[in-house]
Amino acid sequence: MATRKILIVGATGKQGRATVTALAALQPHSSPISILALTRSAVSPKAQALSKEFPNVTIVEGDVMNPDVIFALHRNITSIFLVTIPPNDEEQALPMIDAAIAHGVSHIVFSSVDRGGENLSWENPTTVPHFAAKHRIELHLRDATPITGTRWTILRPAGFMDNYAPGFFGKMMAGLWATMPADRKMQLVSVQDIGNVAARALSDPEKWASRALGIAGDDLTFGEANEMFLKIVGYAIPRTWDVVSRGVRWGIDDASKSMDWFEKVGFAVDIEALRQEGFSVQSFGDWIKTSGDWVVQDGG
């Protein structure tokens, strides 16, 4: 059986690394694959750590905005996992998609974002700038590939549990969540689960062709999340002061539009259908206990 070459874009980032980890775990049970981990710097500490943990993974240095160089140096890539980082999502994704198609890549898996459920996500770019950018990328990928025969798969995660890890960013995200109405729920997913789904899609292109899938593991209010955190860790979720959180929400356009959309529309992933399909997606409590970010109290 021929070995398939899978290129993981952003391999040292959270989603990319989770996908490398999940693919490496699948290898003994799937067709032979060769994992290429794309990073902007092969000598960065994160790239070196990835290479040390996964010695069979090939570290590839390159720029997604100049992708032809990547394909010239690494021929016969069969599949790509593509993730982008705001605010330049389209500048990162569109050249990579077009170059991949031109170089005969047979399957592209793009990590996007849920925008209100499967059907609404196709129609609703939303007023959130980076959500709208990912929507345009989805349409470009879907519309460009039928002409060439390249398969596509779109993953649509909800909000990241990992955004609530220790540190200032986690405190700010928790503070923003706390500004929502007490009864308004938020869907969340662990990055580990995004990697698991991505690996499944990459390992079976025919089954996953022309499919868009929302990914989430929990649906809860900030109060419910805070109560869960308190029970497991022993104290409330660390967050910025309310006046700071509301100032960020009022003063930063992207934060304001995001939070307004969460309140008025919000993520709408069918979590039960995901579990029925065999994905053991983590609850928020699972993530707190297993992420390694938090010291869990005895009996938590």
Side-chain angles (χ1 to χ4, degrees), residues 164 172-182 222-223 239-240 242 245-246 249 259 263:
Y164 304 96
M172 183 183 70
M173 292 299 294
L176 284 170
W177 188 6
T179 67
M180 292 175 61
F222 180 77
R239 60 187 174 101
T240 49
D242 188 64
S245 303
R246 293 191 180 279
R249 180 167 177 171
M259 298 310 298
E263 290 182 1

Side-chain angles (χ1 to χ4, degrees), residues 6-300:
I6 301 177
L7 179 70
I8 308 300
V9 174
T12 58
K14 290 180 179 179
Q15 290 191 63
R17 201 179 204 288
T19 303
V20 169
T21 301
L23 275 173
L26 280 179
Q27 278 192 284
H29 312 288
S30 66
S31 57
I33 61 174
S34 173
I35 304 172
L36 280 62
L38 181 65
T39 178
R40 286 176 294 180
S41 172
V43 297
S44 71
K46 287 185 178 181
Q48 292 299 301
L50 186 71
S51 180
K52 184 176 180 180
E53 183 174 355
F54 301 101
N56 293 328
V57 169
T58 301
I59 303 296
V60 173
E61 188 173 273
D63 182 357
V64 291
M65 297 185 191
N66 188 20
D68 286 323
V69 174
I70 299 168
F71 291 105
L73 294 174
H74 303 275
R75 299 184 181 278
N76 302 317
I77 293 172
T78 54
S79 298
I80 291 177
F81 173 74
L82 177 60
V83 61
T84 59
I85 303 171
N88 301 315
D89 297 82
E90 288 169 280
E91 289 87 341
Q92 299 162 44
L94 300 187
M96 196 70 187
I97 290 170
D98 293 344
I101 292 171
H103 286 271
V105 172
S106 61
H107 186 209
I108 300 171
V109 177
F110 173 55
S111 182
S112 183
V113 63
D114 178 75
R115 294 178 299 276
E118 182 176 353
N119 294 327
L120 191 57
S121 289
W122 280 119
E123 303 167 0
N124 180 30
T126 82
T127 58
V128 183
H130 65 282
F131 284 19
K134 291 181 190 297
H135 177 256
R136 291 190 292 271
I137 295 167
E138 288 185 17
L139 298 183
H140 181 84
L141 177 61
R142 184 190 66 181
D143 296 343
T145 47
I147 301 171
T148 63
T150 300
R151 302 180 180 95
W152 58 263
T153 304
I154 294 169
L155 307 182
R156 293 178 177 145
F160 294 174
M161 296 175 185
D162 306 68
N163 283 344
Y164 304 96
F168 177 76
F169 183 75
K171 290 181 180 180
M172 183 183 70
M173 292 299 294
L176 284 170
W177 188 6
T179 67
M180 292 175 61
D183 61 346
R184 190 67 172 99
K185 295 194 173 188
M186 173 89 79
Q187 285 191 334
L188 298 174
V189 63
S190 74
V191 171
Q192 175 184 313
D193 286 332
I194 300 172
N196 290 339
V197 177
R200 286 265 291 270
L202 290 162
S203 66
D204 196 351
E206 291 186 8
K207 179 180 178 180
W208 284 79
S210 304
R211 185 174 183 191
L213 180 71
I215 316 173
D218 215 335
D219 188 11
L220 66 175
T221 66
F222 180 77
E224 291 168 338
N226 199 39
E227 183 178 343
M228 190 179 299
F229 193 93
L230 180 62
K231 180 179 179 181
I232 297 171
V233 181
Y235 52 87
I237 298 176
R239 60 187 174 101
T240 49
W241 291 338
D242 188 64
V243 65
V244 174
S245 303
R246 293 191 180 279
V248 169
R249 180 167 177 171
W250 177 81
I252 298 178
D253 185 62
D254 195 65
S256 176
K257 289 178 177 176
S258 297
M259 298 310 298
D260 288 348
W261 184 82
F262 294 151
E263 290 182 1
K264 295 173 183 176
V265 183
F267 302 120
V269 174
D270 189 339
I271 299 174
E272 186 55 37
L274 198 63
R275 289 198 170 104
Q276 288 178 359
E277 195 167 339
F279 290 107
S280 300
V281 284
Q282 292 183 308
S283 68
F284 188 60
D286 294 334
W287 173 78
I288 295 168
K289 294 175 183 177
T290 62
S291 68
D293 290 317
W294 301 101
V295 177
V296 177
Q297 67 177 353
D298 291 341

